[in-house]
């Protein structure tokens, strides 16, 4: 092969490179600029928004309620109003556009740029798919939990000749389901939203359900500009309260513990929380549902009673809300629904119970479980190689040249859910071994990004050029999480929290489960005195 000369005109050095332009990346870009630390951002998609750029499926919206699903940047929240308690994907993209307009974020961002190759030689070198080289001193990975799509290894998947689409791959214009035979595989937060939306259309819909989701009434409503304007004087307090809470939502807790309440008191509490909608029934409930099967069953039974009353078809009722608890409440992510249970009851909707009749194969015409069903469109709402997939795809090697894939072959190992041994000055946001999916997104992202800025400012003040976690501390961080996890009910369900949704992935708790409040205390405690870090100072 002859010498191919690389075009180096697009290469550049920046003190900080942020990868990813969702909530984590945009907040990091803003805060680094505010701190006076030079920064650039690269993003794979066409604009800011992260998951809200990729997720354009019918009915996409967030399960985190207003006003908490936004960043605590006053100049942004003072000048933006949402329309709904649970904003849609469209509204969330508008929010990101607004944030960009107010903060002029695009000035420092490059889109349509995928990083695939990251190496260390005293600084980080990031190679992009379009052959650009970006070098930096600090690398901040904001690649999100839900980037790498999960295509289950269904036999014959490639044979299907109709439209096959992953939930994160819908075109901007959407799809026309009218008059079509549509299948949806998957019953997580995404599947529920797609099914309840498509069921209303003039289509014949088949939902393939393996584990029925435990969905709670969203109680969606419009929020007026007047309501928001009158609340804005308190946003700083509300958003701060979210950050210092256990879950990133400042929900209150029951006045008494489960064991100290009577059946009547519990019923009254459950009714109260049910009526509030959103995650109240989940996160304002007795949180010992995570550790105590009796508590879990009691909450499940209330949910099943309420839910079963909404489904008239007895076969469908038993599939989506079995009377006897088959799945634990709240240790696999519950979801919010808007008339989902009425939607699946419609005559144009068929449910296939995959526990009884698993998918055998795909054919050119459709899906074979116990029989062949023919489709025009098949939607895979089958989730993601969550938490680690996006990081692995970056193809990062540590300072010894060891790929992250190899380092994490036996399980994830981070320190504080923020850094990895052998990968100096590299920080992760919305990351494994942090509260991440167990917290409201923007709240935990702010905690982590602010910590990273504090760490870098401290490095600068103390003339430190390089920080890196010590092996012993990283091992202990992971061990503490798994030990804590072993005392809970999380290991008993096949969830993506446990890496259980991807064949061959190590089964382990991927989240810090001690609460966002305890997490924040732990990471700040480590920063004080650089506990668990190796430091390199400027040579004098
Ligand atoms: P998910 O929670 O991983 O759900 C995937 C679904 O696909 C599950 O029902 C799973 O069944 C099914 N599935 C996977 N492989 C299968 C196979 N081989 N055969 C049959 N079924 C299979 O993915 P998701 O619904 O996209 O949600 C991912 C996360 O994104 C959520 O947990 C949430 O954090 C976030 N999200 C949030 C919102 C929101 O805020 N409104 C909306 C969408 C997504 P099993 O459960 O039996 O494995």
């Amino acid at each position: 092969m002859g010498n191919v000369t690389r075009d180096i005109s697009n290469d550049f050095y920046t003190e900080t490179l942020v990868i990813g332009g969702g909530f984590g990346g945009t907040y990091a870009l803003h805060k680094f600029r505010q701190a006076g630390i030079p920064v650039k951002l690269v993003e794979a998609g066409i604009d800011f928004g992260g998951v809200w750029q990729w997720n354009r499926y019918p009915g996409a919206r967030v399960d985190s309620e207003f006003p908490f699903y936004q960043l605590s940047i006053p100049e942004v929240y003072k000048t933006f109003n949402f329309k709904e308690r649970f904003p849609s994907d469209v509204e969330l993209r508008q929010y990101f556009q607004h944030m960009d307009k107010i903060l002029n974020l695009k000035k420092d961002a490059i889109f349509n740029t995928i990083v695939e190759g990251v190496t260390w030689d005293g600084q980080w070198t990031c190679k992009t798919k379009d052959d650009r080289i970006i070098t930096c001193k600090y690398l901040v990975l904001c690649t999100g939990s839900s980037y790498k799509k999960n295509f289950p290894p269904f036999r014959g998947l490639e044979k299907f000749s109709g439209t096959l689409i992953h939930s994160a791959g819908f075109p901007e214009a959407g799809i026309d389901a009218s008059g079509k035979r549509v299948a949806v595989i998957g019953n997580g937060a995404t599947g529920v939203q797609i099914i309840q939306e498509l069921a209303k259309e003039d289509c014949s819909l088949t939902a393939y359900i393996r584990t029925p989701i435990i969905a709670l009434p969203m109680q969606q409503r419009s929020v007026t500009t007047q309501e928001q304007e009158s609340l804005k004087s308190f946003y700083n307090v509300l958003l701060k309260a979210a950050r210092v809470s256990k879950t990133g939502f400042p929900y209150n807790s029951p006045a008494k513990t489960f064991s100290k309440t009577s059946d009547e008191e519990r019923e009254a509490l459950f009714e109260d929380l049910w009526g509030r909608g959103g995650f109240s029934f989940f996160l304002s409930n007795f949180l010992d549902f995570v550790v105590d099967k009796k508590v879990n069953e009691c909450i499940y039974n209330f949910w099943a009673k309420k839910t079963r009353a909404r489904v008239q078809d007895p076969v469908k009722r038993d599939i989506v809300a079995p009377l006897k608890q088959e799945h634990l409440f709240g240790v696999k992510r519950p979801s919010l629904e808007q008339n989902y249970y009425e939607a699946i009851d419609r005559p144009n909707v068929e449910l296939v119970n995959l526990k009884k009749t698993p998918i055998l194969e795909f054919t050119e015409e459709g899906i074979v479980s116990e029989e062949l069903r023919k489709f025009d469109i098949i939607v895979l709402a089958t989730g993601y190689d969550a938490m680690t997939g996006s990081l692995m795809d970056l193809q990062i090697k540590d300072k010894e040249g060891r790929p992250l894939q190899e380092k994490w072959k036996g399980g994830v190992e981070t320190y504080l859910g923020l850094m990895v041994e052998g990968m100096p000055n590299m920080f992760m946001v919305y990351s494994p071994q942090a509260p991440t999916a167990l917290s409201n997104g923007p709240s935990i992202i702010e905690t982590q990004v602010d910590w990273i800025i504090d760490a870098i400012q401290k490095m600068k003040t103390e003339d430190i050029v390089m920080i890196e976690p010590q092996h012993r501390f990283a091992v202990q961080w992971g061990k503490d999480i798994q030990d804590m996890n072993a005392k809970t009910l999380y290991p008993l369900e096949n969830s993506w929290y446990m890496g259980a949704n991807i064949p061959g992935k190590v089964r382990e708790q991927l989240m810090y489960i001690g609460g966002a409040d305890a997490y924040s205390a732990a990471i700040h405690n480590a920063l004080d005195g650089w506990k668990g870090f190796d430091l390199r100072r400027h040579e004098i």
Side-chain angles (χ1 to χ4, degrees), residues 86-100:
F86 297 93
S88 70
D89 62 323
V90 177
E91 219 182 340
L92 287 160
R93 286 194 290 278
Q94 287 164 358
Y95 170 73
F96 276 92
Q97 272 171 20
H98 177 76
M99 186 152 47
D100 172 37

Side-chain angles (χ1 to χ4, degrees), residues 212-216 279 281-283 285-291 295-297 299-300 303 325 327-335 437-438 488-490 493 495 497 509 513:
I213 191 146
I214 296 184
L216 307 169
F279 278 147
F281 188 75
F282 173 37
L283 299 176
N285 218 318
F286 300 105
L287 290 185
D288 28 1
F289 67 73
V290 176
V291 287
V295 179
N296 200 294
E297 188 186 8
I299 296 176
Y300 177 87
W303 172 83
Q325 183 175 23
H327 293 284
L328 293 162
F329 173 83
V331 294
K332 191 163 173 157
R333 187 184 179 284
S335 177
L438 302 181
T488 71
L489 305 177
Y490 284 110
E493 285 286 333
S495 70
Y497 296 169
Q509 177 56 260
I513 58 172

Side-chain angles (χ1 to χ4, degrees), residues 52 55 57 60-64 145-146 150 152-154 166-167 185-193 208-213 218 279 332-336 354 359 381-384 430 437 494 496-497 500-501:
W52 302 110
N55 282 279
Y57 59 78
R61 68 178 63 254
V62 72
D63 283 347
S64 293
S145 65
S146 309
N150 173 30
F154 294 121
H166 187 279
S167 56
I185 304 176
N187 202 231
T190 304
V192 164
Q193 292 188 328
Y208 287 85
I209 298 178
R210 189 167 62 186
T211 308
I213 191 146
M218 177 176 268
F279 278 147
K332 191 163 173 157
R333 187 184 179 284
S335 177
L336 301 185
L354 293 180
I359 292 174
T382 45
Y384 302 88
Y430 209 63
N494 289 324
W496 61 264
Y497 296 169
N501 64 328

Side-chain angles (χ1 to χ4, degrees), residues 60-305:
R61 68 178 63 254
V62 72
D63 283 347
S64 293
E65 69 183 275
F66 143 87
F68 300 107
Y69 199 63
Q70 61 183 316
L71 294 167
S72 56
I73 303 174
E75 54 271 50
V76 175
Y77 68 60
K78 275 184 194 161
T79 49
F80 189 84
N81 286 307
F82 288 97
K83 293 189 192 69
E84 292 179 302
R85 180 183 180 193
F86 297 93
S88 70
D89 62 323
V90 177
E91 219 182 340
L92 287 160
R93 286 194 290 278
Q94 287 164 358
Y95 170 73
F96 276 92
Q97 272 171 20
H98 177 76
M99 186 152 47
D100 172 37
K101 195 172 106 199
I102 297 293
L103 303 175
N104 192 13
L105 295 172
K106 283 213 173 98
K107 182 168 76 67
D108 291 313
I110 305 164
F111 297 96
N112 299 304
T113 301
I114 296 173
V115 173
E116 49 176 31
V118 182
T119 51
W120 169 267
D121 61 356
Q123 62 180 4
W124 286 107
T125 298
C126 303
K127 206 173 141 314
T128 68
K129 201 170 179 174
D130 54 5
D131 216 17
R132 180 194 286 244
I133 288 188
I134 308 168
T135 43
C136 62
K137 180 170 180 184
Y138 307 112
L139 183 60
V140 184
L141 308 180
C142 299
T143 47
S145 65
S146 309
Y147 174 73
K148 186 170 184 172
K149 302 180 190 88
N150 173 30
F151 292 93
F154 294 121
R155 197 164 63 169
L157 189 65
E158 69 296 340
K159 289 189 190 152
F160 180 61
S161 62
T163 304
L164 179 74
I165 189 163
H166 187 279
S167 56
F170 272 71
E172 204 164 345
I175 53 159
D176 181 11
S178 171
K180 308 256 170 62
R181 298 160 303 177
V182 185
V184 178
I185 304 176
N187 202 231
T190 304
V192 164
Q193 292 188 328
I194 296 176
I195 293 164
Q196 75 191 1
E197 201 64 23
L198 287 183
K200 290 187 284 196
E201 292 197 24
D202 166 32
C203 67
S204 138
L205 182 66
T206 305
Y208 287 85
I209 298 178
R210 189 167 62 186
T211 308
I213 191 146
I214 296 184
L216 307 169
M218 177 176 268
Q219 310 286 23
Q220 175 70 302
R221 68 177 176 88
S222 300
V223 282
T224 64
T225 300
Q226 194 189 22
E227 175 183 358
Q228 288 171 84
E229 290 302 333
S230 64
L231 254 189
K232 280 184 186 171
S233 300
F234 307 102
Y235 271 23
N236 57 343
V237 177
L238 290 173
L239 298 178
K240 184 152 182 243
R243 268 178 67 155
V244 299
S245 70
K246 222 172 204 13
T247 59
F249 297 102
Y251 284 117
N252 50 22
S253 314
K256 294 191 214 165
T257 59
F258 182 85
S259 59
K260 295 231 164 77
T261 42
S262 65
D263 290 349
E264 294 71 34
E265 283 171 323
R266 273 175 216 151
E267 191 73 9
L269 172 75
F270 292 165
E271 281 291 352
D272 196 12
L273 300 180
W274 194 258
R276 287 183 203 164
F279 278 147
S280 294
F281 188 75
F282 173 37
L283 299 176
S284 264
N285 218 318
F286 300 105
L287 290 185
D288 28 1
F289 67 73
V290 176
V291 287
D292 188 333
K293 271 194 174 159
K294 207 173 85 197
V295 179
N296 200 294
E297 188 186 8
C298 179
I299 296 176
Y300 177 87
N301 287 344
F302 181 90
W303 172 83
K305 182 181 71 180

Side-chain angles (χ1 to χ4, degrees), residues 499-513:
N501 64 328
I502 303 293
K505 193 162 170 171
V506 176
R507 196 183 171 101
E508 60 179 335
Q509 177 56 260
L510 289 167
M511 253 56 74
Y512 175 93
I513 58 172

